[in-house]
Amino acid sequence: MRLLWVSAGLAALGLGVLGIFLPLLPTVPFLLLAAFCFARSSERLHNWLIHHPVLGPPIRDWERSGAISLKGKQMATLSMLAVFGISVGLGLRPTILAVQAAALCASGLFIWTRPSA
């Protein structure tokens, strides 16, 4: 089971690191997932991730108080607007756009109601 948790943690960490460079791929949710997986499999990897100078602060903020940085909130909002704009530009059906808008609004509401780090 440990191998499964480590593998899932490494995959999530890889996606989180990719999210740093790809604007539409979220970084912090994958880092949180990696920390969750590492906490169940490898104390060494968990401690490394939590204390990493770049990757660790958003995880520590979330674990401490459920906080999201203001910059993170702004970037998430811009990404959601970009994704919705692309969907509109592709001419997706209004029903799909409505479902997407509802999901993005709910996500945005969740993000903006968290404390700022």
Side-chain angles (χ1 to χ4, degrees), residues 15-95:
L15 290 170
V17 170
L18 276 175
I20 295 171
F21 305 103
L22 300 174
L24 297 180
L25 186 65
T27 300
V28 176
F30 286 118
L31 295 179
L32 292 173
L33 179 59
F36 176 83
C37 293
F38 290 155
R40 278 140 188 80
S41 60
S42 171
E43 186 176 339
R44 184 179 63 82
L45 285 172
H46 184 258
N47 286 334
W48 171 81
L49 182 58
I50 296 298
H51 295 98
H52 190 278
V54 174
L55 305 176
I59 299 168
R60 290 191 305 268
D61 290 341
W62 181 260
E63 287 181 343
R64 183 177 53 249
S65 61
I68 302 172
S69 71
L70 182 59
K71 181 180 177 185
K73 291 177 181 183
Q74 292 168 340
M75 293 304 294
T77 302
L78 287 174
S79 294
M80 288 187 275
L81 290 172
V83 166
F84 191 74
I86 290 169
S87 297
V88 170
L90 290 173
L92 297 180
R93 292 190 329 229
T95 305

Side-chain angles (χ1 to χ4, degrees), residues 89-114:
L90 290 173
L92 297 180
R93 292 190 329 229
T95 305
I96 294 173
L97 291 175
V99 170
Q100 184 180 22
L104 291 174
C105 286
S107 299
L109 182 63
F110 175 80
I111 289 169
W112 284 98
T113 56
R114 301 301 100 204

